[in-house]
Amino acid sequence: MRETKSTVVILTALALEYAAVRAHITDREELVHPGGTRVERGRLDGTDWSVALAELGEGAVHAAALTTQIVSWLRPGAVLFVGVAGSLKQDIGIGDVVIGTRVYAVQGGKRTPDGFLVRPEAWPGSHALVQAARSAVRDMPEIRAHFKPIAAGDVVLADARSGIARHLRAHYNDAAAIETEGSGAAHAAHLGGQVDALVIRGISDLADTAKSAADASGSQERAARRAAAVAMGVLRRHQVRGASGTPGDTGADGRRGAGTGSAYAGDHVDFRDGVFLGPVTGKSEGERP
């Protein structure tokens, strides 16, 4: 596939999460990686985005492996993980949306005679995407959004009094939601280089013994739709860093296309404000019409 700076990858784990995002994407076509991974690529109307949507399945390790593959394949400018989660806070209810300012991998540590010593890992959400989300939700009064850390671990929490619940309250007390794939996707995006990444989760249960009843009521579908709506709002606000000539693309001084290394005037490259420690060599192939 041809590399494009206007590609965003949206990752989901469950079919219902995939369906919620897919409803916003038009002109879809299926792409197949040589290894068998499939994505649907289409457009988000009203934007320049090419959206590649994938359903990865459950689990952080699975998410990390497939995110790495997809990022290497499609070379996106941004990666969003969109889906559902359980709430860890009394003031965050079913139907709310949590935008991950950080994602914690919550199960690492060392077991000693003195107890379990936590060895936390965390990945921040992209500043640009978090800011786009803050802007987007201001115009979405129907959605109650929270900008908080998200805990990720290979566990489905359905008991607020369980050992893992106590572990989260003791060591990750600022986490607002718990899910299973975000840490894997965030880690893979981080290792993939300069790609903006953000986890967006709709709250479908309260991570307690009423989880099954909440799921049966259709809360997962409703939460997925709200998370997908926020993700679309983010993309309507955000433009990929360095994508010269696109709406909202500005350099350090706020001038569109004025950043170091931005392209202008056809085959020219703008190096104003750049710092060089050696020679710069350019090559032109073929004649311009």
Side-chain angles (χ1 to χ4, degrees):
M1 178 184 174
R2 182 178 62 86
E3 179 176 340
T4 172
K5 288 183 180 295
S6 60
T7 294
V8 60
V9 166
I10 300 183
L11 305 172
T12 65
L14 306 177
L16 62 91
E17 298 166 343
Y18 187 97
V21 177
R22 191 176 191 258
H24 295 272
I25 308 306
T26 62
D27 299 335
R28 298 183 301 270
E29 61 173 342
E30 188 171 71
L31 306 178
V32 184
H33 184 272
T37 302
R38 293 172 182 263
V39 304
E40 277 192 296
R41 183 180 62 184
R43 294 187 304 105
L44 176 60
D45 287 342
T47 76
D48 294 328
W49 284 108
S50 172
V51 180
L53 175 61
E55 181 184 342
L56 305 184
E58 299 177 54
V61 173
H62 198 64
L66 291 182
T67 301
T68 298
Q69 183 185 79
I70 292 170
V71 168
S72 177
W73 174 31
L74 300 181
R75 303 289 184 184
V79 174
L80 302 180
F81 204 108
V82 179
V84 301
S87 173
L88 295 175
K89 298 295 185 183
Q90 291 184 347
D91 61 341
I92 298 179
I94 293 174
D96 289 4
V97 175
V98 177
I99 294 95
T101 54
R102 286 191 300 280
V103 178
Y104 294 127
V106 299
Q107 292 172 302
K110 180 179 181 180
R111 180 69 63 182
T112 74
D114 297 322
F116 187 77
L117 305 180
V118 175
R119 293 180 176 177
E121 290 186 279
W123 297 270
S126 157
H127 173 69
L129 291 176
V130 169
Q131 286 289 297
R134 291 186 188 277
S135 175
V137 299
R138 293 185 191 118
D139 293 326
M140 304 175 77
E142 73 282 6
I143 291 178
R144 191 164 176 255
H146 308 267
F147 292 82
K148 299 286 184 181
I150 292 173
D154 282 319
V155 58
V156 175
L157 184 56
D159 183 357
R161 299 181 179 180
S162 64
I164 184 64
R166 293 194 299 272
H167 175 77
L168 293 172
R169 286 193 292 269
H171 301 292
Y172 301 93
N173 187 254
D174 59 343
I178 182 167
E179 43 96 338
T180 55
E181 296 83 24
S183 61
H187 194 182
H190 171 74
L191 294 177
Q194 292 186 345
V195 55
D196 290 310
L198 187 65
V199 176
I200 300 171
R201 292 284 183 171
I203 298 300
S204 60
D205 62 79
L206 303 180
D208 59 11
T209 54
K211 174 176 169 48
S212 295
D215 291 349
S217 73
S219 64
Q220 287 189 325
E221 289 81 359
R222 292 192 297 272
R225 287 195 296 269
R226 290 193 172 188
V230 171
M232 298 307 107
V234 169
L235 296 183
R236 293 185 188 282
R237 295 298 201 279
H238 178 67
Q239 288 293 334
V240 180
R241 289 178 299 177
S244 177
T246 56
D249 176 36
T250 59
D253 61 358
R255 291 181 292 118
R256 193 168 290 182
T260 301
S262 63
Y264 78 103
D267 58 358
H268 291 73
V269 178
D270 179 2
F271 289 112
R272 288 171 295 184
D273 305 320
V275 178
F276 304 95
L277 302 179
V280 176
T281 302
K283 180 181 180 181
S284 175
E285 295 183 355
E287 296 182 0
R288 296 176 61 189

